[in-house]
């Protein structure tokens, strides 16, 4: 009888301390990730509009996970895209992923302390972005640089000159409430 009484007391107390978590799913049709890269002779941009992701918000924090297939980045030149797949060894490392469970949200800025998983290498990355809520969606936009050699990528060369080691990542992620 004492165990049953204790159970009835503990269940409401436990529920008081559990905080509701909202689940937001990435709208793949409206979201985009771009990379900008360059070589001495030219610049190019690869665009991916087939991203997957989820954002679990809780108070002023939460968790986020975003993934994109390397093969879905399109530069508009099929030869360049196939060379990119070869250089990045996309058969062995088909995705680029970002995960964070340390999120700080302020008025217009959201900060992620997480892990970027690219080309089989995981690197801690702090990313700051602008965000706003519009029509029951969370829009997150920003950019950050990556150093390709940090991910054990051998830089390709053209006319004996290697491409730049820095690529700029731009993103627009739109999350909608999961109902």
């Amino acid at each position: 009888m004492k165990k049953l009484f204790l159970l009835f007391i503990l269940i409401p107390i436990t529920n008081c301390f559990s905080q509701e978590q909202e689940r937001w799913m990435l709208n793949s049709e409206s979201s985009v990730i771009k990379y900008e890269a360059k070589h001495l002779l030219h610049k190019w941009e690869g665009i991916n509009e087939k991203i997957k992701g989820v954002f679990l918000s809780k108070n002023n924090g939460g968790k986020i996970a975003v993934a994109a297939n390397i093969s879905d980045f399109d530069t508009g030149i099929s030869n360049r895209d196939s060379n990119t797949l070869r250089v990045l060894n996309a058969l062995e490392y088909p995705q680029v992923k970002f995960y964070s469970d340390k999120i700080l949200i302020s008025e217009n800025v959201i900060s992620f302390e997480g892990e970027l998983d690219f080309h089989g290498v995981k690197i801690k990355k702090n990313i700051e972005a602008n965000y706003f809520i519009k029509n029951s969606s969370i829009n997150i936009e920003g950019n950050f640089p990556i150093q390709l050699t940090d991910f054990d990528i051998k830089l390709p060369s053209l006319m004996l000159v290697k491409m730049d080691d820095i690529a700029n990542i731009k993103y627009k992620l739109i999350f909608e409430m999961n109902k």
Side-chain angles (χ1 to χ4, degrees):
M1 182 70 175
K2 286 182 182 180
K3 290 180 185 178
L4 187 60
F5 177 74
L6 186 60
L7 183 63
F8 281 115
I9 290 177
L10 286 179
I11 288 175
I13 291 173
T14 306
N15 288 338
C16 286
F17 289 107
S18 69
Q19 300 165 347
E20 284 300 312
Q21 184 170 268
E22 293 180 335
R23 183 184 195 97
W24 301 78
M25 298 303 295
L26 187 72
N27 180 331
S28 295
E29 294 176 8
S30 302
S31 299
V32 64
I33 296 177
K34 299 178 184 181
Y35 76 86
E36 296 173 339
K38 63 182 177 176
H39 181 270
L40 180 65
L41 300 176
H42 63 286
K43 297 179 185 181
W44 67 96
E45 175 179 84
I47 300 171
N48 189 329
E49 297 175 321
K50 297 178 182 177
I51 312 150
K52 303 292 182 207
V54 64
F55 178 48
L56 303 173
S57 65
K58 190 175 188 179
N59 296 336
N60 285 339
K63 298 178 184 180
I64 192 169
V66 177
N69 290 330
I70 300 297
S71 61
D72 290 333
F73 283 91
D74 183 9
T75 65
I77 299 175
S78 59
N79 189 38
R80 180 185 296 141
D81 293 339
S82 64
N83 282 336
T84 300
L85 295 176
R86 181 185 50 77
V87 168
L88 297 179
N89 197 4
L91 290 176
E92 188 172 347
Y93 310 111
Q95 290 187 321
V96 57
K97 299 178 254 182
F98 179 77
Y99 172 78
S100 174
D101 61 0
K102 295 178 183 167
I103 300 173
L104 294 172
I105 301 173
S106 63
E107 192 170 326
N108 296 1
V109 176
I110 186 166
S111 300
F112 305 99
E113 183 181 326
E115 183 176 78
L116 183 61
D117 183 349
F118 180 41
H119 196 248
V121 177
K122 297 177 181 179
I123 292 180
K124 299 277 186 214
K125 191 79 177 164
N126 294 324
I127 299 172
E128 196 168 276
N130 296 317
Y131 89 97
F132 60 93
I133 298 173
K134 177 182 175 185
N135 300 334
S136 71
S137 66
I138 298 175
N139 296 10
I140 301 173
E141 297 181 32
N143 63 71
F144 61 92
I146 61 169
Q147 189 167 347
L148 297 170
T149 54
D150 285 349
F151 294 94
D152 295 334
I153 295 170
K154 184 179 176 189
L155 300 176
S157 60
L158 176 65
M159 297 179 63
L160 303 176
V161 178
K162 291 186 178 194
M163 72 173 278
D164 283 2
D165 194 13
I166 303 295
N168 192 41
I169 309 301
K170 292 183 176 184
Y171 54 91
K172 177 181 174 184
L173 306 174
I174 299 176
F175 292 90
E176 297 175 344
M177 179 67 79
N178 189 26
K179 297 175 184 177

